[in-house]
Amino acid sequence: MAHVIAPNSLIGPDFSRCQPLVLDPYLSNRCLLRDVLHGLGCEKVFDCGRVREAVASIENDHPNVLFIDWSKQIDAIEFLRLLRARNNPHRFLPVVVMTAYASLDHIATARDCGASEIMVRPWSQQMVVSRLRSIVEHPRLYIQGGGFFGPDRRRRRLGYLGPERRRHENWQAADRRHADSGNWQGQERRQGRAGFPSFERRDAHRV
């Protein structure tokens, strides 16, 4: 499995350079989210109601975050699969999936297809802010491998203490799963090697 760093976002901490694209089949929903995003400081907000219009907007307007509706009218899962395809030049685009499907199975499906964030309807302005802040302030590695490409899905803090536990606090060791593994200096050393991309949020106790 390879770890890939996404290009740095140009959104900015105050959202002034955020140029979101809203894909939603209902005009009232698009207007509501567009007004919220403008109120947060986004100077340019693009919106459309059809997938083909969204594809054209991504090509021509170059948004740096996509809000996409997942409903009977729009198949966000298929859109994500196409967006994250290996030959797609826009595969690093952060995607926030908006949906009324609140079950864990639906959320896991969106995550496993490369969604960056999920917003379950009805959403609030605070929810929009939290999703944007997560994308801007805590960008995640993009993972390529096992038929998956998208943001790193490991976010849950679980209490697993078995022999295969990943130990991110021990990131200087070659095998981070074992505290006594030592500082391996062989050819397979993964840290400190020239050109090796650093992991984000190394101090987070993720498993």
Side-chain angles (χ1 to χ4, degrees), residues 108-128:
T109 298
R111 177 204 64 187
D112 293 344
C113 288
S116 306
E117 299 290 338
I118 309 291
M119 286 201 328
V120 178
R121 300 182 187 276
W123 48 262
S124 63
Q125 178 174 320
Q126 289 74 20
M127 189 180 295
V128 177

Side-chain angles (χ1 to χ4, degrees), residues 1-4 86 91 142-150 153:
M1 178 176 290
H3 296 265
V4 184
R86 185 182 294 271
R91 65 199 308 235
Y142 275 60
I143 306 298
Q144 175 75 65
F148 169 80
F149 178 82
R153 295 170 289 183

Side-chain angles (χ1 to χ4, degrees), residues 100-115:
Y101 304 139
S103 71
L104 291 179
D105 288 342
H106 283 94
I107 293 174
T109 298
R111 177 204 64 187
D112 293 344
C113 288

Side-chain angles (χ1 to χ4, degrees), residues 14-75:
D14 59 353
F15 306 140
S16 60
R17 288 176 291 173
C18 179
Q19 299 183 18
L21 168 63
V22 179
L23 171 56
D24 194 297
Y26 297 104
L27 178 60
S28 57
N29 291 342
R30 300 202 303 270
C31 290
L32 178 60
L33 183 53
R34 189 174 58 204
D35 290 344
V36 169
L37 291 168
H38 277 307
L40 294 177
C42 303
E43 296 183 0
K44 291 184 179 179
V45 180
F46 310 101
D47 69 273
C48 57
R50 298 182 180 181
V51 169
R52 65 171 178 269
E53 295 172 348
V55 172
S57 181
I58 291 172
E59 291 285 346
N60 301 322
D61 301 322
H62 306 293
N64 48 26
V65 61
L66 169 65
F67 288 84
I68 181 172
D69 175 67
W70 182 15
S71 61
K72 293 181 179 179
Q73 289 77 20
I74 294 181
D75 188 348

